[in-house]
Amino acid sequence: MRQKLIWLLIGCDALTASAHAETIGVVMMHGKHGTPSQLQQIAGSIAEAGFAVERPEMCWSAARIYDRTYLECFADIDAAAARLKARGATTIVVLGMSLGGNAALGFGARRQGLAAIVALAPAHAPEFLGRRPEIARSVAKAQAEVAAGWRDEKSTFVTSMSARISRLLPRPRSISTSSVPTRRQ
Amino acid sequence: MPENAAHLTAPLLMVSGDNDPTQRGADNIFARSV
């Protein structure tokens, strides 16, 4: 990964050598259950190259733990971009790692005028996770509860992590579950 | 992710592993961005 990051930085330098680096702002998004500090090293390198950097704490951080929906989280990216523009940035690059990389793709698909999208090890694809029977059952259960008007009640679902753990156990007798409170939309 | 990649209007730089089960379909995602 380190070698890839080095090549990434070299690539960024090469691509922007003729650009006005001081006008480009970079919004950097950490991974699932992470923090902005995950990107401190690469953020420092990008800042040294002359780019303005913002590293918002996204709603999938360890502290916020999904306090908004995926699409609502994009408001945090918009806010970070606005801060960069207030600092003089005229165009925005969004960069994310892991789930942040996933969000960089999602945000880029819904916003015009971005200078570039950088996805570092983008991950967590519901297209694949939803095919697991235990997760598909949980998704159907959640959808039914939402449709039935559940809002602040608690319910229990199989998550991707618990499903993976259950597969690793020598003799799984039951699927591990975790409680996920529903929230009012 | 592939569907989102297909709707990008900005250049995409993607760094992805080839032996990580959480990064499945990287080739497809990148191909869809073209």
Side-chain angles (χ1 to χ4, degrees), chain B residues 1-33:
Chain B
M1 285 193 283
E3 288 301 314
N4 284 329
H7 289 89
L8 295 180
T9 56
L12 170 66
L13 175 62
M14 184 166 154
V15 178
S16 190
D18 56 8
N19 193 26
D20 181 345
T22 69
Q23 298 181 51
R24 297 178 61 179
D27 289 343
N28 182 40
I29 293 168
F30 192 76
R32 295 289 299 275
S33 70

Side-chain angles (χ1 to χ4, degrees), chain A residues 96-128:
Chain A
M97 182 184 73
S98 190
L99 185 54
N102 180 316
L105 293 170
F107 185 82
R110 292 166 175 80
R111 299 294 188 276
Q112 301 291 318
L114 296 172
I117 312 295
V118 181
L120 305 177
H124 307 291
E127 300 94 327
F128 298 119

Side-chain angles (χ1 to χ4, degrees), chain A residues 13-14 23 32 38 51 60 64 68 89 93 103 141-142 154-155 158 169 177 179:
Chain A
D13 285 346
T23 64
K32 181 180 69 177
Q38 282 183 319
F51 299 91
W60 50 81
R64 295 184 61 184
R68 289 181 173 183
V93 171
K141 177 185 175 188
K154 288 189 176 182
S155 190
V158 177
L169 291 174
T177 60
S179 294

